[in-house]
Short mmCIF file of all heavy atoms in Angstrom, two decimals:
data_model
loop_
_atom_site.label_atom_id
_atom_site.label_comp_id
_atom_site.label_asym_id
_atom_site.label_seq_id
_atom_site.Cartn_x
_atom_site.Cartn_y
_atom_site.Cartn_z
N ASP A 77 19.90 -3.00 -8.21
CA ASP A 77 20.38 -2.18 -7.05
C ASP A 77 19.22 -1.65 -6.23
O ASP A 77 19.46 -1.31 -5.06
CB ASP A 77 21.11 -0.92 -7.54
CG ASP A 77 22.48 -1.28 -8.15
OD1 ASP A 77 23.06 -2.36 -7.81
OD2 ASP A 77 23.01 -0.52 -9.03
N ILE A 129 0.61 -16.84 -17.57
CA ILE A 129 0.96 -18.12 -16.88
C ILE A 129 -0.32 -19.08 -16.97
O ILE A 129 -0.33 -20.11 -16.35
CB ILE A 129 1.33 -17.90 -15.44
CG1 ILE A 129 0.22 -17.25 -14.62
CG2 ILE A 129 2.62 -17.10 -15.35
CD1 ILE A 129 0.52 -17.21 -13.10
N VAL A 186 -10.41 -11.01 -0.09
CA VAL A 186 -10.12 -9.72 -0.74
C VAL A 186 -8.65 -9.34 -0.43
O VAL A 186 -8.25 -9.34 0.71
CB VAL A 186 -11.05 -8.61 -0.39
CG1 VAL A 186 -10.68 -7.35 -1.03
CG2 VAL A 186 -12.52 -8.98 -0.74
N GLY A 279 11.15 1.60 -17.18
CA GLY A 279 9.95 1.58 -17.98
C GLY A 279 10.07 2.32 -19.28
O GLY A 279 9.58 1.87 -20.38
N GLY A 310 3.09 11.33 -19.88
CA GLY A 310 2.10 12.20 -19.13
C GLY A 310 1.23 12.91 -20.08
O GLY A 310 0.07 13.26 -19.68
N GLU A 359 -13.54 19.72 -22.93
CA GLU A 359 -12.77 20.40 -21.85
C GLU A 359 -12.66 21.93 -22.28
O GLU A 359 -12.87 22.81 -21.39
CB GLU A 359 -11.45 19.78 -21.78
CG GLU A 359 -10.45 20.44 -20.82
CD GLU A 359 -9.05 19.92 -21.05
OE1 GLU A 359 -8.82 18.70 -21.29
OE2 GLU A 359 -8.10 20.76 -21.04
N LYS A 416 -21.62 17.75 -8.55
CA LYS A 416 -20.26 17.11 -8.19
C LYS A 416 -19.14 18.03 -8.52
O LYS A 416 -19.15 18.60 -9.63
CB LYS A 416 -20.22 15.78 -8.99
CG LYS A 416 -21.12 14.70 -8.44
CD LYS A 416 -20.44 13.36 -8.32
CE LYS A 416 -21.19 12.46 -7.44
NZ LYS A 416 -21.44 11.09 -7.90
N GLY A 417 -18.24 18.21 -7.60
CA GLY A 417 -17.17 19.23 -7.79
C GLY A 417 -15.85 18.52 -7.73
O GLY A 417 -15.61 17.50 -7.14
N GLY A 445 -10.10 14.62 0.20
CA GLY A 445 -8.93 14.70 -0.77
C GLY A 445 -7.67 15.07 -0.11
O GLY A 445 -7.50 14.90 1.09
N LEU A 478 1.38 33.02 -3.23
CA LEU A 478 1.64 33.80 -4.47
C LEU A 478 2.91 34.72 -4.20
O LEU A 478 3.73 34.91 -5.11
CB LEU A 478 0.47 34.69 -4.84
CG LEU A 478 -0.77 33.89 -5.28
CD1 LEU A 478 -1.90 34.84 -5.59
CD2 LEU A 478 -0.46 33.01 -6.50
#
Side-chain angles (χ1 to χ4, degrees):
D77 290 334
I129 64 171
V186 179
E359 175 194 320
K416 285 223 163 133
L478 294 179

